[in-house]
Amino acid sequence: MNTKPRNIKNNIKEQHAVTSVAPGVKENENESQLNDETISNSVSDAKATPTKDNNSSKIRTKSGAFLQHPLTLLLIGAILSSYLIPSWTRQWQNQQTELNTKVEIINSIDKSSTQMIMAVQYAVLGTKSQSQSDYDSAFRQWQIDKQIIRSKLQAYFPSSQLVNDCNKFSEQLDEFYRISGSSNPIERRNYWDNWLALRDDLYNKKDELNRKILDANIYVFSK
């Protein structure tokens, strides 16, 4: 009589146990699925990174091979020989020519003006080694040389102040020569008292003019 109710209760408990366990099983299955997906994504990322590195390495390898190829080296050599080297050589030659031209003008100024200054100094000191004919010849040569120097400055430095500076220096040297033979006693006396300072000032003006010539750009080479 009591057997059936007990069996019914047991069946109900077993069913209740099954249903209570089922949600846990599903949760475990979901967690397992998420873990599988995470692992799969990590593996994919790990595979993707070496692929990019490999591509970069291949590009570098191809670039290196291209640059080391004999035909590439030949083309680079042809470009250097045809354009760059001649350009560098021409630039160096222009600089040398410009420097040589400046030095030639400076030497002319130094030689001509110094000879004239020394001639005046010999005349003032009454040096017997210099005759009146030598004195006149020195002045005449200076007049010729200063015109040649002025013409060169006009040709090589047309837009600079060098021509004006040269004219001022020439006028000062001409005055230095003129006063040495002045018949005015006051002017002559003042000249004798200051001729050393006048001479030194002429040398300083000459050196200043030469420095300006070196610093200036010759018109032909500045284009």
Side-chain angles (χ1 to χ4, degrees):
M1 297 280 301
N2 295 329
T3 305
K4 291 182 178 180
R6 186 181 297 175
N7 292 334
I8 293 172
K9 291 180 179 180
N10 291 334
N11 291 334
I12 292 172
K13 291 180 179 180
E14 291 175 358
Q15 290 177 356
H16 179 71
V18 171
T19 55
S20 63
V21 172
V25 173
K26 291 182 179 180
E27 291 177 356
N28 292 333
E29 290 178 353
N30 291 334
E31 291 179 356
S32 177
Q33 185 177 1
L34 290 173
N35 291 334
D36 292 340
E37 291 179 354
T38 303
I39 294 172
S40 178
N41 291 333
S42 300
V43 172
S44 298
D45 293 340
K47 291 182 178 179
T49 302
T51 302
K52 293 181 180 178
D53 294 339
N54 290 335
N55 291 336
S56 299
S57 178
K58 289 179 180 179
I59 293 173
R60 288 194 296 269
T61 301
K62 291 181 179 180
S63 300
F66 173 76
L67 294 175
Q68 294 178 359
H69 194 277
L71 182 59
T72 303
L73 297 176
L74 183 63
L75 291 174
I76 295 174
I79 293 173
L80 290 174
S81 300
S82 301
Y83 298 100
L84 295 181
I85 294 178
S87 176
W88 294 335
T89 302
R90 184 167 54 254
Q91 183 178 3
W92 180 82
Q93 290 175 343
N94 289 341
Q95 291 176 349
Q96 289 298 116
T97 303
E98 183 177 13
L99 180 59
N100 292 337
T101 302
K102 292 178 180 179
V103 170
E104 187 270 331
I105 296 175
I106 290 173
N107 286 338
S108 297
I109 294 174
D110 281 340
K111 181 179 179 181
S112 300
S113 62
T114 301
Q115 285 179 344
M116 188 65 242
I117 293 172
M118 293 298 296
V120 174
Q121 180 173 334
Y122 287 161
V124 170
L125 296 177
T127 304
K128 295 182 179 181
S129 61
Q130 177 178 267
S131 64
Q132 183 63 39
S133 177
D134 294 335
Y135 193 36
D136 295 340
S137 177
F139 179 74
R140 184 166 50 251
Q141 186 63 46
W142 162 243
Q143 295 302 307
I144 296 172
D145 292 343
K146 75 177 183 180
Q147 294 299 327
I148 296 174
I149 293 169
R150 183 184 292 113
S151 298
K152 289 182 178 181
L153 292 177
Q154 288 176 340
Y156 290 120
F157 311 96
S159 58
S160 70
Q161 296 295 321
L162 289 176
V163 176
N164 292 332
D165 294 337
C166 181
N167 290 337
K168 291 179 181 179
F169 172 72
S170 299
E171 291 171 359
Q172 185 175 348
L173 181 51
D174 290 344
E175 186 70 5
F176 183 67
Y177 164 80
R178 184 192 69 80
I179 299 178
S180 66
S182 175
S183 58
N184 187 322
I186 298 176
E187 187 179 48
R188 186 173 179 82
R189 182 63 183 177
N190 184 56
Y191 177 80
W192 275 86
D193 291 341
N194 297 285
W195 79 272
L196 282 175
L198 294 173
R199 183 200 64 180
D200 294 341
D201 186 58
L202 279 170
Y203 282 130
N204 291 333
K205 292 291 178 58
K206 173 182 68 67
D207 294 339
E208 182 180 355
L209 177 60
N210 290 339
R211 285 193 297 270
K212 289 181 178 180
I213 292 173
L214 286 175
D215 293 337
N217 293 322
I218 293 180
Y219 175 74
V220 176
F221 303 112
S222 63
K223 291 183 177 180

